[in-house]
Amino acid sequence: MIIYVNCTAPKEGNGRKETPYKHINDAAKVARPGDEVIVAPGIYREYVDPVFAGTEEARIIYRSEEPLGAIITGAEKVDHWDLYEGNVWVCRIDNGVFADYNPYTTMIGGDWYFAPVIRHTGAVYLNDRQLYETETLEECIKGEVYKPSWEPEWSVYKWYTEQDGNETVIYANFQGKNPNEENVEINVRRNCFMPSKTGIDYITFRGFNVNKAATTWAPPAAYQDGMIGPHWSKGWIIEDCEISNSKCCGISLGKYYDEENDHYFTHKHVKSPTQMERDAVCRGQYHGWLKEKVGSHIVRRCHIHHCEQTGIVGRMGCVFSLIEDNHIHNINNMQQLGGAEISGIKLHAAIDVVMRRNHIHHSTMGIWCDWQAQGTRISQNLLHDNYTPDGTPMAEGAMMSQDIFVEVGHGPTLIDNNIMLSKASVRIATEGVACVHNLILGAFTSVGGGTDNIVNGINQPRYTPYHIRHRTEVAGFMSILHGDDRFYNNIFIQNWPAKKAKAKKDMGFEMQENEVVGTQIFDEYPTYEEWIKNFELDQPADMMKLAQYHFSYLPVWVNGNVYFNGAKACKNEKSNLIDTKSKVKVELIEKDGKYFLKTNLYKYLADFKNGIINSDILGYAFEPEQRFENPDGTSITFNEDFLGEHRGLATIPGPFASEEEAKKQIW
């Protein structure tokens, strides 16, 4: 059955084409497996709470009749501003409009939130741009630049809120603009399209513009909401949407709600937040965390931008998902929120998640796979400008920046055929990573660190789970030994001057901030032959003698890489190309929304080639004893490049099969 919705209908209807519903949520109350809800263009100021699940054979489809024509927003328009003083205007909102959730009394905070808890989930928007919240009315009146902002010229637009009886009072500095003549909106609703119940499976959500919701901070040991999301379900498809201006997260792929574990550290303090992560994983089985019940979502061809925590977030509910062909940018640029859950894509337990052909830029981080990255593949992505602009100070609680961060997982995590152009390419506070055929302009950082916490002089290791292969069931827990990494057929270019490595603490974990590009930072790691001989496999096992090797660095494999502009090679690499004379340049060119690479590097690659890499060469990640392979267990042969071009019998390093391919449009 086709159900029609049109917000411009003259009166409430019954979902027929001639008499459509005025609200999407009315359709969501009746749509059953196999139904399609077609939504006419217009602005739908409502929260849509789907009631019924589809099935794998008969999905429920919600579709904007005109691509991006149907707008679902968590905001309401405000056109009754009174001039208060100078550039500042004031409005009063009766709190009845907020029902049981007032974004102007709800603060952003919780586990792993490091910025001062002074921001509300509400926001004010001027012509679809979020204004900066101030702590005082005086600060709002002054309208000065917020120095940590990545867009300082916009940071002079301010707002401030306070309560007066049963009213929310909002002051806003519009810098000379008359808000009654502009499009000014405020957040009212927490979500836009997200079921309140779990198990609302097999929903397709296509072609909508979704924006401006008062979402909450979404750490991993808490309920994670977004403007859109499946809550705790299976088999959603979110495609061809524009998603913008969430106060926290754009899309949430979900986590169950557990009252006893929700923000446990923040509320009770007595157990460490890391312990609460382990609890959350184990309690997940009770809440149905199984391949048959949760995950397997698809997010594709979405334009996600100007959200202040993440573009896409997921904790456990993201498993077995595909995230492809999305354009994600300007995430956390306001720098008014800070903590350990901020990134273009931020996933915990990205088990068998594939992230491919995404374009992620101008965000605090590009992709962050935290805990339990196992069977994760990050492939054919374009990542650039994911670092703080020069001269911009870090905000309190702000995180370090890089294109990809893999943290405290046991692998296998595969990073292949990516273009990584930011100052730090991969933060690798983890083990079991393979980097194959990437173009890398930034450094590997946090190598050998960022995993343990020194408390009162005692090392408190962060031991994390690994899983039954291609399943969610926990197979075991282990601390991070470091190593077990592979680096094949990459191009490393020292694009920025390298300062001497220095240690710093972030989130309380010691991290080594390396700026030297290349694999030299793995010099102290053994080869496989050096490592395996310690275990004397031809002798009876001696538990006490072998203990030191059970907790030593794991081996690293390095071969077939290329190094330019002073990038450094690992001492154990047998076959490589090191060019210390040529000056290689790589520039990203944008023309009419299309992106190209301009580079001279192929002039200096000469005839250097290497063999085709495959799953057998990469082998098994140590702790889970799982191959670097496809989610269905089949082998990967790296014979296709960034654009899908065939590589042939032998190949040059880097993400392109040939110089001709590198000249084509890359996004």
Side-chain angles (χ1 to χ4, degrees), residues 68-214:
L68 304 183
I71 301 169
I72 307 176
T73 179
E76 294 287 341
K77 188 175 177 65
V78 182
D79 56 8
H80 58 278
W81 296 88
D82 295 317
L83 186 62
Y84 177 75
E85 175 183 325
N87 291 323
V88 175
W89 299 66
V90 63
C91 71
R92 290 178 172 268
I93 311 294
D94 188 286
N95 286 339
V97 73
F98 303 120
D100 59 352
Y101 178 78
N102 186 339
Y104 303 93
T105 59
T106 305
M107 309 303 291
I108 293 176
D111 291 357
W112 302 101
Y113 185 80
F114 301 146
V117 182
I118 54 175
R119 311 298 179 196
H120 293 85
T121 59
V124 178
Y125 301 89
L126 170 63
N127 299 326
D128 297 320
R129 289 296 306 274
Q130 185 179 158
L131 276 61
Y132 285 65
E133 185 176 1
T134 66
E135 298 178 52
T136 65
L137 178 56
E138 290 73 21
E139 184 185 351
C140 180
I141 293 170
K142 287 181 179 178
E144 296 176 343
V145 168
Y146 177 63
K147 293 181 180 179
S149 170
W150 287 24
E151 301 172 296
E153 68 281 358
W154 183 254
S155 72
V156 296
Y157 292 85
K158 310 282 192 181
W159 70 277
Y160 169 75
T161 188
E162 60 188 19
Q163 294 294 303
D164 183 11
N166 195 42
E167 291 184 322
T168 291
V169 184
I170 298 175
Y171 302 85
N173 189 329
F174 295 108
Q175 296 295 335
K177 295 181 173 62
N178 184 337
N180 297 318
E181 297 175 356
E182 308 284 343
N183 179 30
V184 178
E185 298 170 284
I186 64 168
N187 281 351
V188 173
R189 288 167 290 278
R190 180 172 175 174
N191 311 111
C192 293
F193 190 98
M194 193 170 188
S196 59
K197 298 191 302 182
T198 63
I200 308 300
D201 303 333
Y202 297 107
I203 300 289
T204 294
F205 184 79
R206 179 185 301 146
F208 291 89
N209 181 327
V210 181
N211 59 56
K212 305 185 189 76

Side-chain angles (χ1 to χ4, degrees), residues 285-303:
Q285 308 301 160
Y286 171 78
H287 289 278
W289 191 39
L290 294 169
K291 188 173 187 177
E292 292 76 18
K293 293 185 177 181
V294 175
S296 297
H297 306 300
I298 297 173
V299 180
R300 61 189 172 202
R301 299 187 302 272
C302 291
H303 181 199

Side-chain angles (χ1 to χ4, degrees), residues 152-369:
E153 68 281 358
W154 183 254
S155 72
V156 296
Y157 292 85
K158 310 282 192 181
W159 70 277
Y160 169 75
T161 188
E162 60 188 19
Q163 294 294 303
D164 183 11
N166 195 42
E167 291 184 322
T168 291
V169 184
I170 298 175
Y171 302 85
N173 189 329
F174 295 108
Q175 296 295 335
K177 295 181 173 62
N178 184 337
N180 297 318
E181 297 175 356
E182 308 284 343
N183 179 30
V184 178
E185 298 170 284
I186 64 168
N187 281 351
V188 173
R189 288 167 290 278
R190 180 172 175 174
N191 311 111
C192 293
F193 190 98
M194 193 170 188
S196 59
K197 298 191 302 182
T198 63
I200 308 300
D201 303 333
Y202 297 107
I203 300 289
T204 294
F205 184 79
R206 179 185 301 146
F208 291 89
N209 181 327
V210 181
N211 59 56
K212 305 185 189 76
T215 49
T216 59
W217 181 250
Y223 174 69
Q224 293 186 322
D225 67 359
M227 293 197 296
I228 311 166
H231 190 165
W232 187 245
S233 304
K234 183 175 181 179
W236 277 43
I237 298 174
I238 301 170
E239 60 186 6
D240 302 310
C241 295
E242 180 169 1
I243 298 153
S244 66
N245 284 300
S246 174
K247 189 58 184 265
C248 289
C249 299
I251 296 173
S252 171
L253 297 182
K255 180 186 174 290
Y256 61 85
Y257 174 72
D258 185 330
E259 184 178 4
E260 293 184 22
N261 189 252
D262 194 58
H263 291 288
Y264 182 104
F265 173 74
T266 298
H267 297 317
K268 298 184 180 179
H269 302 195
V270 295
K271 293 183 181 179
S272 77
T274 297
Q275 181 61 25
M276 291 304 91
E277 295 305 306
R278 288 184 282 268
D279 284 4
V281 172
C282 294
R283 296 171 76 94
Q285 308 301 160
Y286 171 78
H287 289 278
W289 191 39
L290 294 169
K291 188 173 187 177
E292 292 76 18
K293 293 185 177 181
V294 175
S296 297
H297 306 300
I298 297 173
V299 180
R300 61 189 172 202
R301 299 187 302 272
C302 291
H303 181 199
I304 307 170
H305 59 98
H306 292 93
C307 300
E308 285 308 305
Q309 182 186 335
T310 68
I312 302 173
V313 73
R315 177 30 158 163
M316 302 165 72
C318 62
V319 291
F320 315 114
S321 292
L322 174 63
I323 300 172
E324 64 178 1
D325 299 308
N326 301 289
H327 186 192
I328 303 174
H329 61 95
N330 296 97
I331 304 299
N332 193 229
N333 284 183
M334 295 176 73
Q335 292 286 295
Q336 288 208 296
L337 308 185
E341 311 305 327
I342 288 173
S343 188
I345 301 174
K346 175 66 194 283
L347 304 179
H348 281 76
I351 297 171
D352 283 358
V353 173
V354 176
M355 289 167 271
R356 66 187 181 194
R357 299 191 304 268
N358 300 290
H359 181 193
I360 307 177
H361 59 97
H362 292 91
S363 299
T364 300
M365 302 188 194
I367 298 171
W368 187 353
C369 292

Side-chain angles (χ1 to χ4, degrees), residues 98 107 253 302 307 330 388 460 485 529 581 586 635 652:
F98 303 120
M107 309 303 291
L253 297 182
C302 291
C307 300
N330 296 97
T388 305
Q460 300 289 349
D485 301 318
E529 292 73 21
K581 296 180 181 179
V586 176
S635 296
I652 58 175

Side-chain angles (χ1 to χ4, degrees), residues 611-631:
I612 301 295
I613 305 300
N614 57 40
S615 291
D616 289 338
I617 292 172
L618 296 181
Y620 290 74
F622 174 74
E623 212 64 66
E625 300 183 72
Q626 179 178 323
R627 284 203 316 165
F628 289 83
E629 61 190 8
N630 286 311

Side-chain angles (χ1 to χ4, degrees), residues 411-426:
T413 303
L414 177 58
I415 302 172
D416 71 280
N417 289 298
N418 299 285
I419 298 172
M420 293 182 272
L421 306 180
S422 298
K423 291 183 178 180
S425 290
V426 184

